[in-house]
Amino acid sequence: MERLIKSAVAGAAVAGLLFVTDARAVDLSGAWATHADECSKVFVRKGRANQIGFTLTSDQHGGGFIIEADRLRGKFATCKIKTKKEDGESVNILAGCATDIMLSNVQFSLKLLEPNRILRTFPGMTDVEMRYERCPL
């Protein structure tokens, strides 16, 4: 009986740690553009559901991407997040992406600089990074 109580207490402690981790999770959901002042030129709301999409000329204004739950959407690709690992203010992501002609795995990291500003880096390419700002749509 004592072992059962100890197991229950240990299980409750682990469950509590899981909830604490979720409470501190980095929130990356939303539409992200290279410059916040370009948001209306990159994103548009469409249809009955008022879903966020891309303007026809979004790539001419720095482009961007949309993060929704376990998906990433760009103008020309849709990705399903396969794995996501948080390390402080950084999130390392491996995503399976599909375009009209190709399937591929993409690995990258997002670092939260401020609540509405992130830095995208690419493993193995130390000089390549892009800054994005969350759009207030």
Side-chain angles (χ1 to χ4, degrees):
M1 182 69 168
E2 186 177 332
R3 190 163 50 171
L4 181 62
I5 292 171
K6 285 182 181 179
S7 295
V9 170
V14 170
L17 288 175
L18 292 174
F19 288 120
V20 169
T21 300
D22 285 344
R24 287 192 234 156
V26 177
D27 177 23
L28 297 173
S29 61
W32 296 85
T34 52
H35 300 286
D37 58 345
E38 297 284 332
C39 288
S40 64
K41 297 174 185 167
V42 176
F43 301 106
V44 65
R45 290 211 176 256
K46 298 179 184 177
R48 288 179 151 175
N50 212 19
Q51 188 175 19
I52 300 171
F54 294 90
T55 65
L56 292 174
T57 59
S58 63
D59 49 337
Q60 296 173 10
H61 299 281
F65 57 93
I66 301 164
I67 299 177
E68 301 167 318
D70 65 342
R71 288 186 341 149
L72 297 165
R73 287 190 295 134
K75 184 168 184 177
F76 301 108
T78 299
C79 305
K80 171 124 172 91
I81 296 173
K82 292 182 171 187
T83 61
K84 179 168 65 170
K85 181 181 176 189
E86 292 190 28
D87 182 15
E89 295 295 312
S90 295
V91 180
N92 299 308
I93 297 173
L94 176 63
C97 299
T99 66
D100 288 343
I101 58 171
M102 184 174 72
L103 297 173
S104 63
N105 288 327
V106 179
Q107 183 179 358
F108 58 93
S109 295
L110 299 174
K111 181 178 181 181
L112 190 66
L113 301 175
E114 296 174 19
N116 293 316
R117 193 170 296 198
I118 57 174
L119 180 68
R120 179 180 176 187
T121 58
F122 301 83
M125 295 188 258
T126 55
D127 296 341
V128 180
E129 60 183 35
M130 298 178 71
R131 293 178 187 271
Y132 290 92
E133 297 179 36
R134 190 183 331 241
C135 293
L137 297 174

